[in-house]
Amino acid sequence: GKDCGSDMDLHVVHPYASGPDVDKDGSPDGFFDLYYDCFWFNPHPSFPGVPAGQESNPDYSPSLDRDDMDGGGPETFNYVYPEADRCYKVGVHYWDEHDLGASYPTLRVWIDGVEVYKNATAPKMKMLDMWEAGEVCCSAKTFKPYTVGGGPVIIGGYLNPDFKVSPE
């Protein structure tokens, strides 16, 4: 059921994404951008680079195919024809703990049916933490994890002030 497990959300962010700098690193984070972040609230965004005549073809748009709200997972993202030579930021946001406390996400990245990344150690996350996991580059078929001090990049208390929905 909806509230029987931890609700963690996958975010895949186009480089054009903007918004506030919640992590205070001097650049917009891109998470919760309503045009360029593919996540539960925006599961089928229109990223740029769609060839003329393909605007209505869903294969040319990214898609969050499953929003898991009970902790059983997985959440899945698909993008059949991503822009060439474009890389996308990937994050996991701990949206709602449903009184269950800390949780440990697993992130797996496949490109063209080949697994290119699986986190070896799941970061411990508390409600409203954002794990800025890394960057997927489809043309290069790579995933580059982001780290700080040898560990995962976790931003605590992550709420985009421009995004007016909050967990209940």
Side-chain angles (χ1 to χ4, degrees):
K2 179 181 167 221
D3 295 336
C4 69
S6 300
D7 184 3
M8 299 187 125
D9 295 310
L10 178 65
H11 289 252
V12 180
V13 180
H14 189 279
Y16 290 176
S18 62
D21 180 16
V22 177
D23 67 2
K24 310 262 190 269
D25 70 353
S27 299
D29 301 330
F31 297 117
F32 296 96
D33 182 294
L34 296 181
Y35 298 102
Y36 298 116
D37 182 3
C38 186
F39 68 112
W40 68 268
F41 193 80
N42 190 29
H44 305 286
S46 296
F47 285 0
V50 176
Q54 296 297 327
E55 295 85 2
S56 63
N57 183 339
D59 287 344
Y60 285 90
S61 294
S63 175
L64 180 71
D65 297 328
R66 183 165 188 263
D67 175 29
D68 178 73
M69 296 182 288
D70 68 4
E75 292 203 354
T76 57
F77 170 86
N78 281 291
Y79 199 5
V80 177
Y81 297 114
E83 292 176 85
D85 302 320
R86 184 74 70 187
C87 298
Y88 305 89
K89 186 188 324 187
V90 177
V92 176
H93 187 248
Y94 194 170
W95 184 249
D96 197 338
E97 67 177 12
H98 299 295
D99 297 321
L100 296 172
S103 198
Y104 301 84
T106 299
L107 178 65
R108 299 171 79 173
V109 178
W110 283 272
I111 300 174
D112 293 333
V114 175
E115 186 175 39
V116 297
Y117 176 79
K118 179 179 179 184
N119 56 306
T121 305
K124 180 180 181 180
M125 294 178 68
K126 301 180 309 265
M127 187 166 136
L128 299 181
D129 280 353
M130 173 63 81
W131 173 25
E132 215 170 343
E135 176 178 87
V136 63
C137 301
C138 300
S139 296
K141 299 183 189 253
T142 61
F143 182 82
K144 176 186 165 194
Y146 295 158
T147 60
V148 61
V153 178
I154 304 288
I155 305 156
Y158 198 97
L159 273 178
N160 182 325
D162 295 333
F163 190 74
K164 303 299 183 203
V165 178
S166 63
E168 296 175 343

